[in-house]
Amino acid sequence: MIGKSDKDFGQLHFDGAWTGICEILIFGRAYEVPLVVQTFDGASISEDQRLAFREFNLNKSTVSSVVEKAVFSYYLCRVDEYRESFDADKAEIKVPKVHAIDDMQDLVFLRCIKVMSPFDAGSRQIGFIFDATFDPQLGLGVLVTNGSVETVDTQDILLG
């Protein structure tokens, strides 16, 4: 395992991927989660990735708020569909009816933040990977591109 101190990302370790630690407050909880900087074929961390992380660090509370709103909206649009996959007793626990963003606190748990390797030059992408009580197998992924939520779907949109 290779380790290095990076001017933007702090202490990083390489064991197939560059990883570090990221602290963030989201859904009313303070998290210290793995930070993964995605690279392919031994490529170095790109300037777009550095810029994405710098912008994210400067605007963590704003980005967190945007992600919270997107997850809440996604959940509201799919709550009935998710409830159908559980029996009635479990549905009330795993997929409760919610009325506010704060109600999501016990339904989603941040597992990782990923600085994506962009396919489009100049694109700054940060991924949020959540476990979710309402989808225990596939969880939830949120892709933020240039400061705005681009996609909310299962985690697999960010894995790989």
Side-chain angles (χ1 to χ4, degrees):
M1 184 180 309
I2 301 169
K4 73 175 185 175
S5 182
D6 186 271
K7 64 181 176 156
D8 294 309
F9 298 99
Q11 195 62 34
L12 291 175
H13 302 280
F14 188 83
D15 190 12
W18 287 107
T19 58
I21 297 292
C22 186
E23 295 176 0
I24 188 168
L25 178 65
I26 192 164
F27 289 111
R29 286 200 169 121
Y31 286 92
E32 187 175 276
V33 296
L35 170 70
V36 175
V37 185
Q38 181 183 45
T39 57
F40 296 105
D41 300 327
S44 60
I45 297 169
S46 73
E47 285 306 310
D48 286 336
Q49 288 174 298
R50 291 182 179 286
L51 184 56
F53 191 70
R54 282 185 218 131
E55 288 176 358
F56 166 68
N57 260 339
L58 288 172
N59 302 299
K60 271 187 189 176
S61 63
T62 302
V63 173
S64 293
S65 179
V66 168
V67 169
E68 289 171 346
K69 289 174 186 170
V71 168
F72 180 64
S73 178
Y74 176 88
Y75 182 77
L76 289 179
C77 290
R78 288 166 181 78
V79 68
D80 293 332
E81 174 187 334
Y82 281 122
R83 287 177 70 86
E84 289 174 4
S85 64
F86 293 94
D87 63 43
D89 293 339
K90 282 199 174 190
E92 288 305 316
I93 296 165
K94 304 269 188 188
V95 195
K97 298 285 185 173
V98 297
H99 305 286
I101 289 172
D102 290 343
D103 296 338
M104 299 297 295
Q105 183 178 35
D106 294 328
L107 303 179
V108 293
F109 306 92
L110 185 63
R111 291 293 168 226
C112 178
I113 293 177
K114 189 171 187 180
V115 181
M116 307 300 288
S117 182
F119 292 105
D120 299 325
S123 185
R124 300 172 312 280
Q125 297 181 315
I126 304 285
F128 293 77
I129 299 172
F130 294 92
D131 286 341
T133 61
F134 51 88
D135 195 342
Q137 292 180 324
L138 300 176
L140 195 64
V142 179
L143 178 62
V144 176
T145 302
N146 300 335
S148 298
V149 172
E150 180 177 326
T151 308
V152 180
D153 209 334
T154 57
Q155 291 177 359
D156 61 346
I157 63 168
L158 302 174
L159 302 177

